[in-house]
């Protein structure tokens, strides 16, 4: 079965295009988040620095004139006139558009807008920070009721809260709030935001390009290697198909050879039985008739006759060993029974037969001959090495295979002896293995000294009627 080679694609998109789309989304989101954060940090820092500078300048101007607030909630007329005069000068008017002085509780005690003097407002966060001793500033956040007049001007303003301390004790006696024109600050902030967005965007864009280039190169390499792998896989499959065809041809040839060999041996055995064996039998009969017991040469005739009988017995034994029974028309069960019956005729070993499975696949003549020779050799070995053991022949038929086993509870043997050749010229286990495997079967031996022996053969019938 061919392994499936999956392309590194999602839909019609390549891996590099998917990565680019994901990078644009992720990097775009990250750029927006980082850009907003950096811009806010820069704006807050610039606004705070501007507020600190403005507060230090204003403190030097208003602190001496507002010391009266340490002992009351009102400024004297002289102090008020002095403050108004200061804030009405041309340099101050160009810079400060309005101012307020706060006391605790959100009360305005003095302001450029006299209409709100004495009014109470809810303290803002910036006012609270100023009362705690910190200079606080904000830009374009004129959304409180007390800043309505300034917001109506429609110009960029820097709102600064600066604590006013008593000169000798250092305690906070009031908070000065003033609104400074911030046209230049607005331009500087816009430039800083553009610069920060440009830097952040460029950094993320460069990262995206570098990462995309790496992924694109990797994707190209993977695709090239994938194409090479597909080519190699195609070549491997072609070679595997060729090897399978060659193996099938080898198995077919081996089956035909085994069948022809068995037929040749069968014919040779028949010719030995019908030819030399008959002539030797006739010669023995004539010698017996030609020489009488009173003859002087009767002893010599008896020796000749005994030699002829021995030769005849050996020829008949060779004939029986060479010829296999006519099993072409027999089923698997009949082949097994026939092999066991033939063995029982010449051996004291009486094996049991166990037939398992429902319906066996149809076997070729080569398969049947292999089963017969397998049982012939394994039962002969069992009778030779474990004559007093309990022996069982098991035939298991399945849809696509047959399994033949011969088990005994004899003395067993060392598996290293499996590859040894037989002194008597028999096939032995090594010959059986070669025969079974030559037609595509599987041969297994399980044995240990003192634990009996099990020899099994599995065949996978592939076709009918090997000729």
């Amino acid at each position: 079965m061919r392994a499936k080679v999956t392309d590194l694609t999602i839909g019609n998109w390549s891996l590099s295009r998917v990565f680019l789309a994901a990078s644009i989304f992720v990097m775009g989101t990250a750029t927006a988040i980082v850009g907003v954060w950096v811009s806010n940090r820069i704006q807050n820092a610039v606004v705070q620095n501007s507020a600190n500078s403005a507060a230090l300048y204003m403190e030097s101007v208003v602190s001496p004139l507002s010391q009266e607030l340490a002992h009351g909630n009102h400024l004297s007329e002289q102090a008020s006139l002095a403050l108004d005069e200061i804030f009405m000068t041309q340099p101050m008017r160009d810079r400060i558009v309005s101012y307020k002085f706060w006391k605790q509780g959100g009360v305005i005690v003095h302001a450029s807008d006299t209409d709100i003097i004495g009014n109470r407002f809810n303290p803002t966060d910036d006012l609270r920070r100023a009362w705690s001793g910190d200079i606080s500033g904000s830009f374009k956040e004129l959304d409180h009721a007390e800043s309505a007049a300034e917001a109506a001007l429609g110009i960029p303003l820097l709102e600064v809260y600066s604590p006013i301390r008593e000169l000798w004790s250092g305690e906070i006696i009031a908070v000065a709030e003033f609104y400074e024109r911030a046209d230049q600050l607005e331009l500087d902030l816009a430039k800083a935001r553009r610069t920060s967005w440009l830097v952040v965007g460029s950094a993320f864009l460069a990262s995206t390009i570098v990462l995309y280039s790496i992924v694109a190169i990797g994707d190209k390499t993977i695709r090239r290697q994938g194409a090479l792998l597909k080519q190699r896989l195609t070549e491997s499959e072609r070679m595997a198909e060729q090897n399978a065809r060659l193996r099938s041809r080898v198995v077919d040839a081996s089956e035909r050879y085994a069948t022809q060999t068995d037929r040749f041996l069968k014919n040779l055995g028949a010719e030995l039985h019908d030819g030399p064996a008959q002539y030797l039998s006739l010669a023995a009969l004539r010698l017996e008739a030609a020489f009488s017991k009173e003859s002087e040469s009767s002893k010599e005739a008896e020796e000749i006759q005994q030699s002829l009988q021995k030769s005849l017995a050996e020829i008949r034994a060779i004939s029986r060993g060479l010829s296999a029974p006519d099993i072409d028309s027999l089923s698997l069960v009949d082949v097994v029974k026939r092999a066991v019956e033939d063995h029982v005729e010449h051996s004291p070993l009486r094996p049991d037969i166990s037939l398992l499975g429902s319906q066996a696949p149809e076997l070729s003549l080569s398969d049947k001959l292999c089963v017969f020779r397998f049982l012939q050799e394994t039962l002969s070995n069992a009778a030779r090495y474990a004559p007093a053991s309990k022996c069982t022949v098991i035939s298991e038929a399945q849809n696509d295979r047959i399994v033949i086993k011969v088990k005994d509870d004899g003395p067993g043997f060392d598996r290293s002896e499996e590859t040894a050749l037989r002194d008597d010229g028999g096939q032995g286990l090594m010959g059986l293995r070669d025969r079974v495997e030559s037609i595509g079967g599987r041969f297994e031996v399980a044995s240990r000294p003192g634990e009996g022996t099990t020899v099994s053969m599995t065949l996978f019938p592939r076709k009918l009627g090997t000729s």
Side-chain angles (χ1 to χ4, degrees):
M1 181 178 178
R2 179 171 180 170
K4 183 179 180 181
V5 180
T6 304
D7 291 331
L8 295 176
T9 58
I10 299 178
N12 295 325
W13 285 27
S14 64
L15 178 62
S16 57
R17 292 185 63 186
V18 172
F19 176 81
L20 179 61
S23 297
I24 291 174
F25 174 76
V26 174
M27 291 298 189
T29 303
T31 301
I33 295 174
V34 174
V36 170
W37 182 79
V38 170
S39 297
N40 289 337
R41 294 282 292 181
I42 291 175
Q43 177 173 323
N44 292 337
V46 171
V47 168
Q48 188 62 40
N49 289 336
S50 300
N52 291 338
S53 299
L56 291 175
Y57 173 73
M58 294 301 298
E59 184 179 2
S60 63
V61 175
V62 302
S63 180
L65 299 175
S66 57
Q67 292 297 309
E68 297 176 356
L69 296 176
H71 307 288
N73 292 333
H74 300 281
L75 290 176
S76 64
E77 183 178 355
Q78 183 179 1
S80 298
L81 291 174
L83 285 173
D84 291 340
E85 185 176 350
I86 292 174
F87 283 104
M88 288 300 292
T89 60
Q90 190 63 38
M92 193 66 73
R93 287 179 62 185
D94 294 339
R95 183 174 181 179
I96 306 299
V97 298
S98 67
Y99 62 91
K100 304 180 183 71
F101 288 87
W102 296 82
K103 289 290 288 185
Q104 284 284 7
V107 178
I108 298 178
V109 295
H110 186 72
S112 57
D113 183 5
T114 58
D115 292 336
I116 63 173
I117 296 176
N119 291 345
R120 185 185 299 272
F121 298 94
N122 291 327
T124 62
D125 293 336
D126 290 334
L127 181 59
R128 294 191 187 95
R129 283 195 293 270
W131 278 110
S132 65
D134 296 328
I135 297 174
S136 179
S138 60
F139 180 64
K140 288 187 176 181
E141 296 181 2
L142 307 178
D143 52 357
H144 304 295
E146 50 92 9
S147 302
E150 288 77 12
L153 297 176
I155 59 176
L157 296 175
L158 174 64
E159 183 181 13
V160 181
Y161 291 84
S162 175
I164 300 175
R165 301 178 184 274
E166 189 177 15
L167 293 179
W168 311 114
S169 65
E171 294 182 359
I172 298 174
I173 58 177
V175 172
E177 177 190 6
F178 51 91
Y179 297 84
E180 182 181 10
R181 290 185 66 94
D183 303 87
Q184 186 60 41
L185 176 62
E186 185 177 42
L187 295 176
D188 293 339
L189 287 176
K191 182 179 179 180
R193 281 194 293 267
R194 286 195 301 270
T195 302
S196 64
W197 277 103
L198 180 61
V199 171
V200 173
S202 299
F204 279 101
L205 179 61
S207 300
T208 302
I209 292 174
V210 171
L211 292 177
Y212 173 74
S213 300
I214 295 174
V215 173
I217 293 173
D219 186 26
K220 184 177 180 181
T221 302
I222 292 173
R223 288 179 176 278
R224 184 172 62 252
Q225 292 178 347
L228 180 61
L229 178 61
K230 287 182 179 180
Q231 180 182 353
R232 295 287 178 84
L233 180 60
T234 302
E235 294 175 357
S236 299
E237 289 177 344
R238 185 168 60 250
M239 293 182 63
E241 292 175 358
Q242 183 178 359
N243 291 337
R245 289 194 299 268
L246 291 175
R247 182 177 182 276
S248 178
R249 290 174 60 184
V250 169
V251 172
D252 290 343
S254 180
E255 287 183 348
R256 290 193 296 270
Y257 175 76
T259 302
Q260 293 296 339
T261 300
D262 277 295
R263 286 179 175 175
F264 171 76
L265 293 176
K266 180 179 179 181
N267 293 334
L268 180 59
E271 290 177 1
L272 285 175
H273 182 272
D274 296 338
Q278 296 299 329
Y279 289 128
L280 287 175
S281 179
L282 180 61
L285 290 174
R286 295 215 175 160
L287 280 174
E288 185 178 0
F291 294 94
S292 61
K293 292 183 180 181
E294 290 80 9
S295 174
E296 296 179 357
S297 59
S298 60
K299 183 177 181 182
E300 183 179 355
E302 184 178 354
E303 291 176 356
I304 294 174
Q305 188 175 11
Q306 289 177 355
S307 297
L308 289 173
Q309 293 293 342
K310 289 180 180 179
S311 299
L312 182 60
E314 289 182 3
I315 289 175
R316 286 175 176 171
I318 293 173
S319 176
R320 285 195 304 270
L322 291 175
S323 61
D326 186 9
I327 58 175
D328 194 4
S329 61
L330 299 182
S331 65
L332 173 63
V333 173
D334 294 332
V335 171
V336 172
K337 290 181 179 179
R338 181 68 174 273
V340 173
E341 290 170 358
D342 286 359
H343 174 79
V344 169
E345 289 181 2
H346 308 93
S347 172
L349 185 68
R350 297 293 183 268
D352 297 329
I353 299 177
S354 177
L355 302 175
L356 305 176
S358 55
Q359 182 177 0
E362 296 191 47
L363 306 179
S364 65
L365 177 58
S366 177
D367 295 331
K368 295 177 182 179
L369 287 173
C370 189
V371 172
F372 187 85
R373 293 301 187 190
F374 173 82
L375 291 174
Q376 192 178 49
E377 182 68 23
T378 51
L379 290 176
S380 176
N381 288 342
R384 182 181 296 109
Y385 300 110
S389 66
K390 179 181 179 181
C391 182
T392 304
V393 175
I394 302 173
S395 173
E396 183 177 357
Q398 301 178 11
N399 291 332
D400 61 342
R401 69 190 66 186
I402 60 171
V403 181
I404 308 296
K405 294 182 181 179
V406 177
K407 300 174 60 175
D408 67 65
D409 57 359
F413 66 95
D414 187 352
R415 287 287 307 280
S416 62
E417 299 175 3
E418 178 185 343
T419 58
L421 295 175
R422 285 266 301 274
D423 295 334
D424 59 1
Q427 285 186 316
L429 295 179
M430 186 172 64
L432 277 182
R433 179 184 293 277
D434 292 341
R435 179 163 191 153
V436 171
E437 292 180 351
S438 70
I439 60 173
R442 188 168 60 236
F443 183 86
E444 297 177 353
V445 178
S447 181
R448 288 185 181 179
E451 297 183 6
T453 302
T454 300
V455 184
S456 63
M457 171 188 70
T458 304
L459 294 182
F460 305 90
R462 300 182 305 112
K463 63 181 182 179
L464 304 179
T466 301
S467 60

